[in-house]
Amino acid sequence: MSEKIYIETYGCQMNFADSEVVCAILEGAGYKLSPTIEEADFVLINTCAIRDNAEQRVRHRVRELRALQGRRHRLRIGILGCMAERLQSRLMAEEDNVSFVCGPDAYRRLPDLLRQVRDGQQAAEVELSTTETYADIEPVRLGSNGISAYISIMRGCQNYCAYCVVPYTRGRERSRNPQTVVDEARSLFERGYREVTLLGQNVNSYQWKEGENEVGFPELMARVAAIDPALRVRFATSHPKDLSDELLQVMAAHDNICRCIHLPVQSGSNRMLKLMNRKYTVEWYLDRVEAIRRYLPDCSITTDVIAGFSSETEEDHQATLDLFRRVRYDYAYMFKYSLREGTYAARHLPDDIADEEKTRRLNEIIALQGQIALENNRTEVGREYEVLVEGESHRSKERLFGRNSQNKVIVFDRGDAVPGTYRMVRVVDCTAATLLGELVGSV
Ligand code: 5AD
Ligand code: SF4
């Protein structure tokens, strides 16, 4: 009888996409996916190392699984992803119920690893690669609604932002053959999917040599968007330093490329941006925001921000708040700075803002952003949007939810709407997080 695996995923969208590749590799090697953790022979935890609290959550989970291992002696636990890469075999010494670690570029080695640990041995595969893209592996769509899917188009990052561990855990940038991306998107569309999100740590750096020609990210987007006007295309994440007019022009030329750009700013102070090695200024960033508004007047903009980076003053913090007031983001992921071992900041920049002060600054940003999101949403009332219907609202079976091109969630009475199709919905009310709407008619 074939052995069963169960996978849990923490962290970014890239990790969720990677877990789907991992399942494809292990299914290909004869393993079955277990619907519950209780029946599994191997539990794989795909982890995030971006902030200390992400790692603590995983460690807590690993310790919790000890009880299950007590009852089922054959259960083996493996740690995948960024924490595995960062800590390597140290992790197995610190968490002695972990049998193996496998870094993000070593997933093809998993069948071998599992064979090695079956007899109770420990094993580690953490080699990074300059070429691995898993381009030939068709991901097993986990927990999918059958409507939207991730497609990873490039891996790694070499921007070396001073605070960030990703260049060390995910290695050098490398792009995937564009034809395999287009084929994967087309195959999803033919199977009824209506939305793909092209993923990479820095998608604007996508670059592929095709004989004499180079395919960059705008060209790749144009090729995927050309598959069918009924296939929505999203992407994440872009680095502001490389957000080109060419990309914005390609977006403007294709209605099915969604009007939403995630543009992590990190700080509103030029001094902080320089220390962070972000390679742009506030003025440059605002110029890019203006370009987005010019080419795509209805585009939503979202961001990431860090409060309390090394030496951040009250003035720097106020500059971040000012930038938020100027850009008026539709959504923001907001974090307290967390020192990561091995980064430039850990080696050269003291983590000198007290935790309570970081918390206060973060809370101020969160409060301001909440107010802005609510005000933005209020201006949506009365507008009509084409919504890709995704499923039942969590609160009520009588209601469905979907997203507009701007990636805003709209909840509405279900009427005759069907998940996986497009409908026009008029916004009638809102909260800071959700729009409430009513069906207008068929598109
Ligand atoms: N501390 C806090 N936030 C961080 N991020 C990356 N590294 C750190 C860190 N050391 C945030 C950035 C990035 C997002 C994915 O996580 O805002 O854009
Ligand atoms: Fe980290 Fe900067 Fe790379 Fe983003 S661009 S993954 S923040 S190093």
Side-chain angles (χ1 to χ4, degrees), residues 50-51 163-164 264 266 304-306 335-338 340:
I50 198 112
R51 282 170 292 276
Y163 50 80
C164 186
Q266 314 300 3
D304 294 345
V305 68
I306 299 176
F335 310 107
K336 277 199 278 190
Y337 172 54
S338 165
R340 309 312 289 137

Side-chain angles (χ1 to χ4, degrees), residues 50 156-168 170 173 200-202 237-241 264 266 276-279 304 306:
I50 198 112
C157 178
Q158 55 215 44
N159 287 319
Y160 291 97
C161 298
Y163 50 80
C164 186
V165 77
V166 168
Y168 309 93
R170 286 189 166 270
E173 273 176 19
Q201 238 71 45
N202 179 11
T237 294
S238 335
H239 194 300
K241 77 178 166 57
Q266 314 300 3
M276 289 173 163
N277 191 31
R278 289 291 288 175
K279 305 181 186 96
D304 294 345
I306 299 176

